[in-house]
Amino acid sequence: MRAWPVASIVLAGVVLITIGCVPPPRATGSEDSVGRSNTESTINTLFAPPSPETIPGDLRGEQIRLGYKMVVDTQEYGKRYVGNALNCTNCHLDAGLNPNAASFVGIATLYPQYRERAGRQMTLADRINECFERSMNGKPLPPDSVKLTGIVAYIEWLSQNMPPGVEVPWRGIPRLISTHQPDPLNGRKVFEQKCVFCHGSDGQGTMAAPPVWGPRSYNIGAGMARMTVAASFIKANMPRGWGWTLTDDEAIDAAAYINTQPRPDFPDKIHDWPKGGKPADVPY
Ligand code: HEC
Ligand code: HEC
């Protein structure tokens, strides 16, 4: 059985920290009280992803490993379906194992789920394909493809032993709640001071970090293209390794700045929220 490469993820984080010469990342967990908008029943349970040794040695195990590779190296393993420079793990940090970044742990049992944006029930595979079309600016995978089945298997493996239909408290991104008016001009200053080092002055990414706008970024149909989603992600996770160091206003302004820059369109957006309920910060 192949060694599970989680250690290499941790190492990558350590390398970044060494380059930056700044304090180590905060321990995750405590700031979760910033507030998640959980409306469904939640469960008080520990964030404890299964250990890699529990991956079975059979075909199922192969699927789980393929799913993991799809998530961390989507550029290579999902090439035909990706239309930008991102990997799933760039937002679902640490391969979906980070409780502050739309973790995959414990979410499989919540599907199928009704989604307002689509106006219909969605399976986990459907939800994954939404991120392929929007966050990855690409194409949906065929429903029966081994690659899609692999990602589903990986997320199911991360959700084992979860009671069906019970929402985990770490689901999504810790929601930043503020009355601050987003100020993209100040956001530009924040970006120049705290983001260009890794994302580049033109936002197009560097060796150290992926693009945050432009043709190789997520499209306008992506969740991250919404100001409140990006602000929450940035507050909790950026600069990478130093989450929770920006003020709320800085995170909101930086999000407003990157999300007012050009990025790919999503023509299918005309079908979104067919029954209403579109949030105010959707950029179309
Ligand atoms: C640009 C950032 C970004 C990228 C890249 C991205 N996603 Fe997402 N994804 C999101 C956001 C934001 C959400 C919604 C989180 C929330 O509801 O708070 C989401 C939600 C999801 C969900 C639903 C989570 C839940 O709690 O039900 C799944 C599954 C998912 N993504 C899979 C993927 C996969 C697989 C990939 C790679 C093919 C991917 N995503 C790439 C940003 C991204
Ligand atoms: C120390 C380097 C570094 C700094 C500084 C930094 N980031 Fe990032 N950022 C990253 C890395 C690396 C990723 C991808 C994370 C991964 O794959 O583990 C990322 C991912 C992102 C993403 C989601 C993926 C994408 O490209 O769309 C956004 C949005 C983002 N950063 C915004 C910001 C903002 C805004 C700032 C400034 C407040 C910032 N980052 C500062 C390294 C950095």
Side-chain angles (χ1 to χ4, degrees), residues 2-270:
R2 187 133 22 106
W4 187 248
V6 164
S8 60
I9 299 168
V10 176
L11 275 178
V14 171
V15 170
L16 275 175
I17 291 154
T18 322
I19 296 169
C21 292
V22 277
R26 66 167 203 116
T28 53
S30 54
E31 281 87 344
D32 281 7
S33 56
V34 173
R36 296 182 191 222
S37 64
N38 288 340
T39 47
E40 291 157 54
S41 58
T42 57
I43 179 174
N44 273 329
T45 181
L46 283 176
F47 184 84
S51 119
E53 291 88 76
T54 67
I55 298 178
D58 56 6
L59 174 68
R60 182 77 182 156
E62 286 301 310
Q63 292 176 329
I64 295 168
R65 283 194 199 86
L66 174 61
Y68 170 81
K69 289 179 193 157
M70 286 289 291
V71 167
V72 294
D73 194 358
T74 330
Q75 289 292 309
E76 179 58 30
Y77 291 91
K79 212 181 287 175
R80 288 170 51 200
Y81 304 98
V82 173
N84 63 18
L86 298 182
N87 295 299
C88 312
T89 192
N90 293 155
C91 299
H92 300 277
L93 299 176
D94 306 323
L97 296 179
N98 187 315
N100 291 315
S103 176
F104 294 149
V105 176
I107 64 153
T109 57
L110 296 168
Y111 291 87
Q113 185 173 62
Y114 179 80
R115 300 253 311 143
E116 252 192 331
R117 186 172 68 186
R120 64 176 176 90
Q121 287 266 117
M122 286 207 150
T123 62
L124 179 56
D126 294 333
R127 182 66 190 86
I128 292 166
N129 270 337
E130 282 194 309
C131 267
F132 266 99
E133 291 183 89
R134 296 159 186 261
S135 298
M136 308 297 293
N137 192 37
K139 293 184 295 200
L141 280 73
D144 51 355
S145 65
V146 284
K147 296 191 169 187
L148 185 55
T149 313
I151 303 175
V152 170
Y154 174 62
I155 297 177
E156 282 176 354
W157 174 71
L158 289 174
S159 307
Q160 58 191 316
N161 308 328
M162 292 287 173
V166 178
E167 183 144 321
V168 290
W170 55 82
R171 190 176 190 197
I173 301 165
R175 184 77 75 86
L176 177 58
I177 294 162
S178 166
T179 52
H180 173 67
Q181 244 344 87
D183 177 358
L185 282 178
N186 185 52
R188 184 191 181 129
K189 285 188 207 138
V190 175
F191 191 82
E192 278 160 5
Q193 285 162 13
K194 308 207 167 167
C195 320
V196 290
F197 177 71
C198 296
H199 291 284
S201 54
D202 56 359
Q204 306 300 293
T206 67
M207 292 291 281
V212 284
W213 72 78
R216 294 159 65 244
S217 182
Y218 51 87
N219 70 38
I220 67 159
M224 196 65 90
R226 288 180 50 198
M227 199 282 296
T228 60
V229 176
S232 303
F233 176 87
I234 291 164
K235 171 79 185 187
N237 301 293
M238 290 296 139
R240 184 75 169 121
W242 305 285
W244 311 101
T245 59
L246 300 179
T247 65
D248 291 0
D249 292 6
E250 283 175 325
I252 290 166
D253 294 348
Y257 176 61
I258 66 173
N259 278 343
T260 47
Q261 300 301 307
R263 62 180 62 261
D265 188 20
F266 180 59
D268 277 355
K269 63 185 185 285
I270 52 165

